[in-house]
Amino acid sequence: MAMESLFSKIDRIAGGSKAGLIVPAEGLADPKTKRAFAWITGLLIFELVLGFGAVVFAIIIARAGEPVPFAVWMRTVVVLGMTATLFYFFWRSTKGYYWGYQRLRLFAQIFPVITLVMAAIPGLYPVWMITEQIVFSLIMIGVGDFLTSDHMRAVFRKPNIAAGSKDG
């Protein structure tokens, strides 16, 4: 119960005024929803592995005496942290929290654009980092594709505030 109290506080920060909105359980139990969540889980795990791989690769290069630009270190650490927060949004969306789905969908649509724009800046990143960013973007586009499907948008329609709120 103490953990749920902590999560509730985090939800208030991350979800704002929509923190207590819960979607109907029937939609979450639908096999299509479960299948979409299974795919998203796999894609997010792949993103996390890719992020850890980028950090490890940067460390290996640095230990070999090659210069690793500050932009690479910042990008690897920030993106790894952001990817970890996506897991929280995802977990809360699997519990029916409307805000978790909304945040996950928003970031899945914004991250690829930002990442590809950053990758296109000449000389900012080495080729291996540009490649990693392109792969990262493609995976996030896949996550966004699942989240914006007609089925998932129907499941995560904005709930009626009086009927859908835990706070009543």
Side-chain angles (χ1 to χ4, degrees), residues 96-109:
Y97 287 90
Y98 173 76
W99 75 266
Y101 167 79
Q102 289 294 332
R103 296 297 185 278
L104 185 60
R105 191 175 102 182
L106 174 70
F107 286 112
Q109 292 173 320

Side-chain angles (χ1 to χ4, degrees), residues 47-71:
E47 287 282 28
L48 197 61
V49 169
L50 186 65
F52 275 121
V55 171
V56 169
F57 193 72
I59 291 169
I60 290 169
I61 290 172
R63 294 194 82 197
E66 291 290 320
V68 177
F70 180 72

Side-chain angles (χ1 to χ4, degrees), residues 1-163:
M1 195 62 164
M3 290 303 288
E4 190 55 39
S5 176
L6 172 65
F7 295 141
S8 183
K9 289 176 184 170
I10 294 171
D11 290 351
R12 285 268 178 234
I13 294 167
S17 64
K18 297 176 180 141
L21 296 179
I22 307 286
V23 299
E26 309 83 62
L28 295 174
D30 189 296
K32 284 183 178 181
T33 307
K34 291 183 179 289
R35 197 168 31 258
F37 279 150
W39 273 100
I40 294 168
T41 299
L43 292 171
L44 288 177
I45 288 170
F46 190 81
E47 287 282 28
L48 197 61
V49 169
L50 186 65
F52 275 121
V55 171
V56 169
F57 193 72
I59 291 169
I60 290 169
I61 290 172
R63 294 194 82 197
E66 291 290 320
V68 177
F70 180 72
V72 169
W73 290 116
M74 283 303 298
R75 195 240 175 240
T76 57
V77 171
V78 168
V79 168
L80 192 57
M82 291 184 330
T83 303
T85 62
L86 293 179
F87 277 98
Y88 186 76
F89 299 158
F90 173 70
W91 175 58
R92 296 314 265 175
S93 67
T94 64
K95 299 291 183 192
Y97 287 90
Y98 173 76
W99 75 266
Y101 167 79
Q102 289 294 332
R103 296 297 185 278
L104 185 60
R105 191 175 102 182
L106 174 70
F107 286 112
Q109 292 173 320
I110 291 174
F111 281 175
V113 174
I114 294 168
T115 303
L116 291 173
V117 167
M118 296 293 289
I121 298 173
L124 182 61
Y125 298 118
V127 173
W128 68 267
M129 176 61 67
I130 293 169
T131 304
E132 186 268 349
Q133 285 189 259
I134 292 168
V135 172
F136 176 89
S137 295
L138 291 173
I139 296 167
M140 285 308 296
I141 289 169
V143 170
D145 191 42
F146 279 106
L147 293 169
T148 58
S149 70
D150 291 342
H151 172 76
M152 292 298 278
R153 284 186 297 134
V155 169
F156 283 93
R157 257 187 333 266
K158 186 173 182 177
N160 179 336
I161 293 174

